[in-house]
Amino acid sequence: MDNLCSLSGLDPLWDWNLTWYTPHPDLTQCFQHTVLVWFPCMYLWSCGPLYLVYLWFTGQGGISLTSLCCAKTVLGLCLVSFGFLEVFYVLVERSAEIHQHMVFLLSPVIRSLTMLLAVCVIQWERMKGCRSSVLLFLFWTLTVVCSLVPLRANTQQIIEEGFFTDAMRFIAFFVYFSLQLTQLILSCFSDQRPSTDTHTYKKNPCPVEDASFLSKMLFWWFGGLVIRGYRTPLQAEDLWCLREEDSSDCIIADLEKDWARECSKLQQKECSLSGCRPTGPKLTEQTQLLKKLRQEQNSGFCLFRVLARSFGPFFLKGILFLIFHDIFMFSIPQVLSLLLGFMRDQDSDLWKGFMFALLLFLLSSLQSLFNHQYMYSCFTVGMRVKTAVMGLVYRKSLVISSAARQSCTVGEIVNLVSADTQKLMDMVVYFNAVWVAPIEIALCLFFLWQRLGPSALAGIATVILIFPLNGFIAKMRSKLQEVQMRYTDSRIKLMNEILSGIKILKFYAWEQAFLERVLGYREKELNALKRSQVLYSISIASFNSSSFLIAFAMFGVYVLIDDKNILDAQKVFVSMALINILKTPLSQLPFAMSTTMQAIVSLRRLGKFLCQDELKPDDVDREPYSPDGDGVVIDSGTFGWSKEGPPCLMRINVRVKKGSLVAVVGHVGSGKSSLLSAMLGETEKRSGHVSVKGSVAYVPQQAWIQNATLKDNIVFGQERKESWYHRVVEACALLPDLEILPAGDGTEIGEKGLNLSGGQKQRVSLARAVYRKADVYLLDDPLSAVDAHVGQHIFERVFGPKGLLKDQSRVLVTHGLSFLPQADLILVMVEGEITEMGSYLELMARDGAFAEFIRLFAGNERKERSHRGTRKSVSRLSMTDFSIDLSQEQLISGDRMSSASIQTMEAISDTEDQEQEDLGKLTEADKANTGRVKLEMYVEYFRTIGLALIIPIVFLYAFQQAASLAYNYWLSVWADDPIINGTQIDTDLKLGVFGALGFAQGVSIFGTTVAISLGGIIASRHLHLDLLNNVLRSPMAFFEVTPSGNLLNRFSKEVDAIDCMIPDGLKMMLGYLFKLLEVCIIVLVAMPFAGVILLPLTLLYAFIQSFYVATSCQLRRLEAVSRSPIYTHFNETVQGASVIRAFSEQERFILQANGRIDHNQTAYFPRFVATRWLAVNLEFLGNLLVLSAATLAVMGRDTLSPGIVGLAVSHSLQVTGILSWIVRSWTDVENNIVSVERVKEYADTPKEAPWTIEGSMLPLAWPTHGTIELEEYGLQYRKGLDWALKGISLSIQEKEKVGIVGRTGAGKSSLALGIFRILEAAKGEIYIDGINIAQIGLHELRSRITIIPQDPVLFSGSLRMNLDPFDGYSDEEVWRALELSHLKSFVSGLPDKLNHECSEGGENLSLGQRQLVCLARALLRKTKILVLDEATAAVDLETDNLIQSTIRTQFDDCTVLTIAHRLNTIMDYTRVIVMDRGLITEMDSPSNLISERGQFYLMCREAGLV
């Protein structure tokens, strides 16, 4: 190169005297004309071809020729022509001695060809749809930077010699430079979307898709949302659409196939392992446990592998950013060393100091940029992982087998998608620290070795000592985490059941017992958390003191091994800068390990769930419809609910002919519902063959109703055909109900059909099936909960020979007798087998068990009983266990909730003026509050912690930072200590003081973290207790308008945030706040003039932070609000999975779930980008402080000592991170304090009357007689609505048996609700034994009277707990109650007897058995007043007779009120009350009323009793 330059008459390539050892540095002419010109060209030629190939494979379609592209191309061609003009000029002017000007000829040729390549790249990018070029941006940046040196030289020459000495050359250079600069500016903009982009027409597209490379690097594209959020609180419609690559459809499509492949491989592997084992005696329990653990581990690992394959490439991009970040991070201490060397050398040229200061600024800025790009890519991957896992869990919940479903409750599935997905997201962010941290630690120790020699080994020894301690702590915490999560699961599961069965708890006054059960789990959960937090505090203390411990060990060994070892400013502060770098990986490592351990646990849990057995679609042959042949065929079928255990159906042979009606009859538990499940493929087929021709519609035993409008529940995803729709509604007897509903069929039905009576839910469920126009109908007791005349109407209009379904195959499970003569085929089931089969006449002629049964129970009751079937509960987790007759007064409607609180239940008096759609509104979506979090929330939180703990925390923090400041200042004094005879004096004393100060800091760190953790647990305990009390003390109306998903979200996600996130955020925020104070004091002490810079920077910080916090808080709220519908939808789907499968609606529900997940992610994505936007802006300001401190140090070189400069600059380098963390942790606290706000939300909602009244004079044995008196009693469901009961006056004497009858909406149930004060009187009073019930506590009232509800609800726990949660009765009394309720033989046969564990919702008992348990509850309490809501409707006729006789004998001396749907049960009562529209229309003995031939007579005639 030198030869080439000398040939062209230029200096050598490099000259140190010209470049470094001079007060006016410059580069040689040779360097300027070769390296500075060729370097950018070499970059483009080396990277260009690879980039073009990359575009070839990833092209997205062409971009039409835009003005931006034209401008870039024209400027590029101008630059090409300039180069060739220069070549032409050289050839013409210097043609004689051309060999002496080779450099001047080569450079423009290379430059022109490179510019030509740049133009080609511009066009290739346009053709391939690349809108912003990284390659060209970097190329133009390099060309402009390399042109700065000649720019300076030319400018200097013009100043010294004048412009006209070489005007042409100057003009040419400046024009060329301007063109390059313009190209750089243009490359900062992004081109328009490709013409083939199908997503151009999104309503509110994400601006990152339109952002240029520079905008993406600096997160400028996010600025618009921040400004909007600052001006007005953000709303959901302000958020951008999700990018295509982040949407559920895009993510889950490939992942699902990949997971299916992995699952099948895993199953094959397990089969081969179990297949090769010798068949011998059964596996021992220990071996089975080991096998189960191995399966969990394998499934977790498989899930990890699938996720890694899908998201690995994007994750690797993040790792590349991390590597660049580390390179810049380790360069900073080297530059600091040079700066401190410059400070010590008074003869150094001043420009070098400024150059080092500028270099520090540039390296810090680049480190910051790459760090946040890395974090952005991690969070993006985390978000996609969350979408993927939620999607997989949802899809799995639709296909999981019945046996597997028993072990996975709704609460656990909700926990999988809330807590466990969060753990996986955390792992994605922190996982790299597991392998990067050790590398960073090794590099730090290498550089420390360079500074301090073998003494660095003392630092290594300290690190080695710290590691095992934290590894042990991480392992311990992982175990505690599992324990804690187990209790959390149990608590959420129990809460789910409480919310589902809340009405039962209120009727029985059992809230206190269940409250104590929840608190029991909560206490165990908090104990595990407390132990975990103390361990974590030890971990934090050891790591936060690690920089001191390492410095103490290294400096101590360094000065003690040799007196000649001097600690100067360079050694001390460069070492401290390296130790500060070392601190990051040291502190991240335990957290990363802990997060990874938690994620492994979550992966196993998720893997275990996703590998559960699925229903086998090939168990049932689904054949296309054909007019001939049989609709349903089962040949020699044996079925079980699980692979192991006895079969539930044996030797089943059934043929259902096209267009026939097949009735299935049998006792409770004989396998009738199981037969329908077998036809649907819901059971495990052990042998035989099942085939179904055509589409299927299914009416389940327990009506499953969605939280949607009545119309949506019936249409169920089909196209609405008006004429057919009206025929269906009329046939299913829903027209009278539609007239009552405020918005007709547009009325919203509450969660799980809350605001419908049992009969209405069953009819809606039936209408859904009829509307479907299916080929095969499987009807599991659809007439169970309807009145007699309604049942007859439905049978004739729907199932009967002239009904809508007359041409379809129908399989009807029923307990009704009078329908049987009209059935084409009757199947009689006994203990899982079909014992008899044939038409009604054939079976009667055989004179077998069926004929005997009919003769025994038919008699004069046949017609009446035929209308009723069996009464079933609403849903598996039904909240409705008391038939609420739907009336206009009862529907919870017409309210718009205020934005501040969704539970404000004040009625709007002018309901008539409301829009039709508002009238039908029932449940309210979770609303987001707006604006900053109110100060009261902080006050509330700190008040619960208590002043006794807050004052020591603040004191400990101040002491901790004072110790830190003291030992840092002590180091600078030590570094500036004069050297006498090659040594420093009193090193032992200095080391001792340094050690004492550092040790004091470590102890105070441990103290602060433990104190904050304990304070957090105290606050969390109080807030959870308040939430629980507020929810349990809310009236029933509250639960009807509040979706259980919202409440569960409060008890899971929000309580989790209060448990962990707020205390962690406070620890971080206070720690950094006091650290910032320390840095400011140090910088101001060193350079008082820095105050001038600190003040505007502080104002800028405050300005940026106020922008950020307003937006971030609102995004957090919007994200929290959009999370609830996901859980509600999951909840609903899991409960209705069998219905969804039967109707083949899985795809539609999956799309709905995708929509809800995507809606949640639209708020989550800007939320984490906001943090990156903040950090990039704040850290740039922090880097300005570094530049200021370093520049001021250079300017004050003569007055400042190296020690104080080292202290100030090394601390100012930390400011960037500190300030960013302060705002981030502050925002975390503010974001999570929203959880306190959401938990406290229910404190202001209306509450029930007190449970007990202090000083109550109520006699212990009250009521002793059981008399009930109503005086002008009136009831309203909501203020402003019509009266449900209109001034009723009534007197019921002791031991009287009163039947209450009336059509739907008459007010029968309202009367019962009033007696139990589920609804409070709007006027008038009720007296029981002469005592006004409004003046006693609710529990005092409800515990002294008894109800047997329509829908039997059981809770998970022992059978004994379900009968007597307070343990108030002896075992003998419990057994006696079981004997009287005909359950004794069944319970005696159970292995655990009274301790038999009932599953969630009592699912492992049949519906009839659950009803008998409710009867046993009543027998156990044996109060003087019994309210009966046709409770025997869920049992067969034989058991029904037993129950009726039990009630007649055991409650003979009690007052009995029966809400009757079947009139024969009350014909022997002393009095019958006939109600209509809230009034008593008739009241007398049954015989008198019949003789009067009024309303009661007409009802009896309809029922066939007269």
Side-chain angles (χ1 to χ4, degrees), residues 1411-1433:
Q1411 191 68 69
L1412 293 174
V1413 170
C1414 290
L1415 175 64
R1417 285 173 183 163
L1419 288 161
L1420 198 58
R1421 286 166 77 130
K1422 194 72 190 296
T1423 56
K1424 281 290 176 185
I1425 294 174
L1426 172 71
V1427 178
L1428 199 64
D1429 184 12
E1430 282 293 53
T1432 57

Side-chain angles (χ1 to χ4, degrees), residues 639 641 647-650 652 664-678 683 701 780 813 827-834 1406:
F639 306 89
W641 283 110
C648 61
L649 296 170
M650 293 165 290
I652 302 293
V664 184
V665 296
H667 292 298
V668 168
S670 60
K672 302 184 296 297
S673 298
S674 301
L675 181 65
L676 295 194
S677 295
T683 53
Q701 194 177 38
D780 198 349
V813 169
L827 308 177
V828 183
M829 299 205 67
V830 177
E831 293 182 354
E833 290 191 57
I834 297 174
S1406 77

Side-chain angles (χ1 to χ4, degrees), residues 235-272:
Q235 301 299 327
E237 52 273 15
D238 296 327
L239 302 177
W240 312 305
C241 293
L242 215 53
R243 293 179 296 178
E244 181 66 17
E245 59 268 31
D246 293 331
S247 67
S248 298
D249 291 340
C250 185
I251 289 169
I252 298 169
D254 298 328
L255 191 83
E256 203 178 0
K257 293 173 194 161
D258 200 7
W259 173 247
R261 280 195 297 273
E262 279 292 336
C263 253
S264 60
K265 276 187 207 167
L266 190 66
Q267 281 163 358
Q268 285 166 9
K269 187 178 167 187
E270 279 173 12
C271 287
S272 62

Side-chain angles (χ1 to χ4, degrees), residues 458-726:
I460 297 170
T462 313
V463 172
I464 290 168
L465 283 172
I466 292 170
F467 260 86
L469 170 71
N470 283 283
F472 173 70
I473 287 172
K475 200 172 179 183
M476 293 266 291
R477 286 192 72 217
S478 175
K479 283 180 185 169
L480 285 169
Q481 169 91 23
E482 284 194 51
V483 172
Q484 188 194 335
M485 280 179 84
R486 202 162 54 241
Y487 289 129
T488 307
D489 277 356
S490 302
R491 177 171 61 83
I492 300 300
K493 175 184 163 187
L494 183 57
M495 274 317 302
N496 193 1
E497 289 191 68
I498 287 172
L499 296 174
S500 299
I502 188 70
K503 197 178 292 173
I504 276 287
L505 296 189
K506 290 198 176 299
F507 275 135
Y508 288 143
W510 280 1
E511 293 104 322
Q512 194 60 45
F514 279 80
L515 182 129
E516 280 161 16
R517 279 185 73 196
V518 172
L519 293 180
Y521 285 130
R522 179 71 179 149
E523 207 49 47
K524 289 172 183 170
E525 184 188 348
L526 288 178
N527 281 337
L529 180 68
K530 194 187 294 179
R531 286 158 64 198
S532 174
Q533 287 290 0
V534 170
L535 286 170
Y536 190 42
S537 298
I538 297 170
S539 191
I540 285 178
S542 68
F543 272 100
N544 283 1
S545 306
S546 59
S547 56
F548 155 73
L549 290 169
I550 295 164
F552 180 66
M554 286 195 298
F555 295 158
V557 171
Y558 185 69
V559 296
L560 291 175
I561 55 173
D562 189 349
D563 287 347
K564 300 290 179 191
N565 283 347
I566 305 297
L567 274 182
D568 58 13
Q570 234 174 334
K571 281 197 184 83
V572 168
F573 292 105
V574 172
S575 297
M576 287 307 285
L578 283 164
I579 289 168
N580 279 329
I581 288 176
L582 183 62
K583 203 170 161 181
T584 307
L586 280 177
S587 62
Q588 274 185 353
L589 197 59
F591 188 67
M593 282 158 66
S594 157
T595 308
T596 307
M597 294 305 284
Q598 288 174 18
I600 289 168
V601 171
S602 292
L603 273 169
R604 279 186 201 156
R605 280 160 57 93
L606 285 160
K608 179 187 167 188
F609 175 74
L610 293 171
C611 282
Q612 292 278 17
D613 291 338
E614 295 182 7
L615 294 168
K616 295 176 187 140
D618 52 356
D619 273 2
V620 177
D621 287 342
R622 301 272 176 165
E623 298 171 16
Y625 176 76
S626 62
D628 47 279
D630 299 320
V632 182
V633 178
I634 302 180
D635 280 332
S636 311
T638 301
F639 306 89
W641 283 110
S642 59
K643 286 179 182 173
E644 295 82 32
C648 61
L649 296 170
M650 293 165 290
R651 297 180 282 283
I652 302 293
N653 289 288
V654 177
R655 285 182 179 274
V656 179
K657 291 188 168 57
K658 285 280 152 65
S660 67
L661 171 61
V662 175
V664 184
V665 296
H667 292 298
V668 168
S670 60
K672 302 184 296 297
S673 298
S674 301
L675 181 65
L676 295 194
S677 295
M679 292 174 180
L680 287 167
E682 297 282 320
T683 53
E684 187 81 30
K685 187 174 77 176
R686 307 231 177 132
S687 64
H689 175 259
V690 184
S691 74
V692 176
K693 280 188 182 173
S695 58
V696 175
Y698 171 54
V699 179
Q701 194 177 38
Q702 302 175 328
W704 174 71
I705 305 293
Q706 278 187 282
N707 179 199
T709 63
L710 191 75
K711 177 171 59 191
D712 292 340
N713 267 292
I714 295 171
V715 174
F716 204 55
Q718 300 291 101
E719 188 185 340
R720 176 161 174 173
K721 295 170 183 157
E722 285 300 327
S723 59
W724 176 242
Y725 177 79
H726 283 296

Side-chain angles (χ1 to χ4, degrees), residues 756-798:
L756 296 181
S757 70
Q760 286 162 331
K761 277 178 288 201
Q762 202 64 285
R763 296 204 299 279
V764 170
S765 179
L766 178 63
R768 175 199 295 147
V770 177
Y771 186 81
R772 181 55 60 130
K773 286 189 178 174
D775 304 311
V776 175
Y777 279 82
L778 304 178
L779 311 156
D780 198 349
D781 235 342
L783 305 179
S784 57
V786 296
D787 291 346
H789 64 286
V790 179
Q792 190 62 43
H793 168 93
I794 289 173
F795 186 83
E796 287 168 6
R797 302 301 302 272
V798 180

Side-chain angles (χ1 to χ4, degrees), residues 1029-1059:
N1029 276 321
N1030 284 328
V1031 168
L1032 289 181
R1033 288 173 189 273
S1034 295
M1036 271 313 298
F1038 167 80
F1039 296 98
E1040 285 165 355
V1041 297
T1042 311
S1044 64
N1046 295 6
L1047 293 167
L1048 273 182
N1049 196 11
R1050 301 293 191 277
F1051 280 101
S1052 56
K1053 191 81 179 175
E1054 310 300 350
V1055 167
D1056 183 51
I1058 296 167
D1059 281 351

